Amino acid sequence: MAKLTEYASLEEKARFYGNCYKAVNTASELQDELKKVALKKKKVLFRGVNEAKYKLFTSGQREYIHNEYAKVGVLYNDFMQSLLNNVDADKDLKEYNTVTKIKTNASYYFTYLQHYGACSPYIDFSTDLYVALFFSIFKMQQLPSNVDIDNFYSLYYVAKKDIPFIKDRYRQLSEENQINRGETELDLKTLIRMELFYVLWQRHYGQFGNHRFLYRMPNRNMLAQKGALIFNASDSKPLEEVDVLKGKIHCIDIHKSLWLNMQTPHLHGITEKQLFPCEYRVAKQAYTDFKQTLQ
């Protein structure tokens, strides 16, 4: 098993991010920084991470590197294609997609895998600052450490203008003749050529080849979390090391002693229950609410 590369110290991380980096140690600093970020919230995508040392790897990269699949001759793209083939072979899912008239493609299936605990070339972001702040402290551990970076968690944000939207990136490559206009779906080869793009929780249409796809996220979590997913085609470069994004991703590292300060003033009442809606809980609550009317 291989260990993913991590930032060894705040100093190392600060050197990498340069002017896009800020370390926050006090409640007043935190309040000031979040006020600044809130002004940009309509223009950026956010990600919260409960350990500052982690780099922005996709779930697919983490699995591929950690399990050292390259050493046994498995190419990253073959690994990703195998996941697509396996999920597409599921008869129940295929029937559901047929009944609900969902036009599937590789990008859609990768969002499905990402949402339901598998790995993909996507990495989770959100259009909502407060959702990202919730995830920045979600399941966070405070363990004694003499290493400075172990005592911080992170909020990242990147401008939407610095990452192409899925259909805009597709259109760009079509105009450059790098994608055949006759292609009718977003297969893995096409996604790899697109290299970097994002998709959002909102339902939207896109012209891909000769077909117009209704593109939407496949579960309620993405709606609740105002989710955004960024596609990174690289097998080994975390998002901040992708050439076109160097110097464009901002990072605020926040001291873990401030996590209690996040709860009321900064999370706007967001809870785990809200961000992970459960059909069983909704159904059960309907009957519970009825019984309360009898009391």
Side-chain angles (χ1 to χ4, degrees):
M1 297 289 184
K3 182 176 174 60
L4 292 169
T5 58
E6 299 175 348
Y7 295 106
S9 66
L10 291 179
E11 182 181 5
E12 177 192 356
K13 193 172 184 182
R15 284 198 303 269
F16 181 84
Y17 279 91
N19 294 332
C20 295
Y21 180 80
K22 176 72 176 181
V24 170
N25 289 278
T26 68
S28 60
E29 286 180 324
L30 175 61
Q31 185 174 8
D32 290 343
E33 288 302 314
L34 293 184
K35 282 182 179 178
K36 295 176 186 177
V37 174
L39 296 175
K40 308 174 183 179
K41 62 183 180 181
K42 292 183 179 180
K43 299 179 180 180
V44 301
L45 304 177
F46 301 97
R47 176 174 172 82
V49 181
N50 62 15
E51 290 289 346
K53 63 186 177 183
Y54 295 152
K55 294 188 177 184
L56 298 176
F57 288 105
T58 67
S59 54
Q61 289 174 323
R62 291 198 302 267
E63 286 296 311
Y64 186 74
I65 296 170
H66 179 69
N67 290 291
E68 299 183 285
Y69 288 135
K71 289 188 176 181
V72 294
V74 177
L75 298 178
Y76 181 69
N77 292 352
D78 291 340
F79 171 41
M80 291 294 103
Q81 185 62 57
S82 178
L83 296 177
L84 291 175
N85 294 343
N86 292 338
V87 73
D88 186 51
D90 187 281
K91 293 181 180 179
D92 291 335
L93 179 60
K94 187 168 292 187
E95 182 178 5
Y96 173 81
N97 289 331
T98 299
V99 171
T100 54
K101 298 181 180 180
I102 295 175
K103 293 181 179 180
T104 61
N105 54 57
S107 181
Y108 177 87
Y109 274 140
F110 278 138
T111 65
Y112 181 91
L113 290 166
Q114 182 76 5
H115 300 165
Y116 288 102
C119 54
S120 81
Y122 277 123
I123 183 170
D124 293 293
F125 276 72
S126 175
T127 59
D128 192 301
L129 168 62
Y130 308 109
V131 169
L133 289 174
F134 173 89
F135 281 111
S136 72
I137 61 174
F138 185 51
K139 297 183 179 180
M140 187 184 75
Q141 294 184 325
Q142 288 181 279
L143 301 176
S145 176
N146 293 323
V147 180
D148 60 356
I149 200 166
D150 290 340
N151 299 312
F152 286 77
Y153 58 99
S154 302
L155 174 68
Y156 298 92
Y157 62 96
V158 59
K160 293 177 183 177
K161 66 179 179 61
D162 290 329
I163 303 177
F165 188 56
I166 182 172
K167 62 181 180 182
D168 295 331
R169 180 60 176 150
Y170 185 95
R171 185 187 304 116
Q172 177 187 4
L173 290 188
S174 294
E175 293 171 353
E176 295 172 359
N177 295 320
Q178 294 185 39
I179 291 180
N180 186 345
R181 290 182 180 273
E183 292 182 29
T184 58
E185 63 176 303
L186 295 171
D187 59 15
L188 180 60
K189 289 182 180 180
T190 301
L191 299 184
I192 295 301
R193 287 201 292 275
M194 290 167 67
E195 296 180 323
L196 180 77
F197 59 84
Y198 73 92
V199 295
L200 290 176
W201 58 275
Q202 293 103 326
R203 95 184 211 159
H204 55 267
Y205 288 88
Q207 190 72 34
F208 302 108
N210 296 326
H211 287 254
R212 188 170 173 80
F213 284 101
L214 169 61
Y215 195 94
R216 55 189 170 190
M217 299 299 187
N219 75 13
R220 292 178 59 202
N221 288 355
M222 289 304 295
L223 176 61
Q225 297 169 16
K226 300 296 185 289
L229 293 171
I230 297 178
F231 182 92
N232 179 3
S234 171
D235 63 348
S236 57
K237 285 186 179 181
L239 199 64
E240 68 266 43
E241 294 180 12
V242 173
D243 291 341
V244 296
L245 286 181
K246 286 182 179 179
K248 295 181 179 179
I249 299 178
H250 294 255
C251 173
I252 302 174
D253 280 344
I254 306 166
H255 198 276
K256 289 182 179 179
S257 64
L258 299 176
W259 79 273
L260 286 175
N261 295 78
M262 301 285 287
Q263 304 296 311
T264 303
H266 300 307
L267 295 188
H268 286 218
I270 290 178
T271 64
E272 181 178 358
K273 182 178 178 180
Q274 288 176 278
L275 297 184
F276 296 96
C278 172
E279 283 79 2
Y280 290 99
R281 184 172 61 230
V282 172
K284 185 176 181 180
Q285 190 65 43
Y287 184 56
T288 299
D289 291 344
F290 162 73
K291 289 194 294 183
Q292 289 179 347
T293 65
L294 302 179
Q295 297 178 359

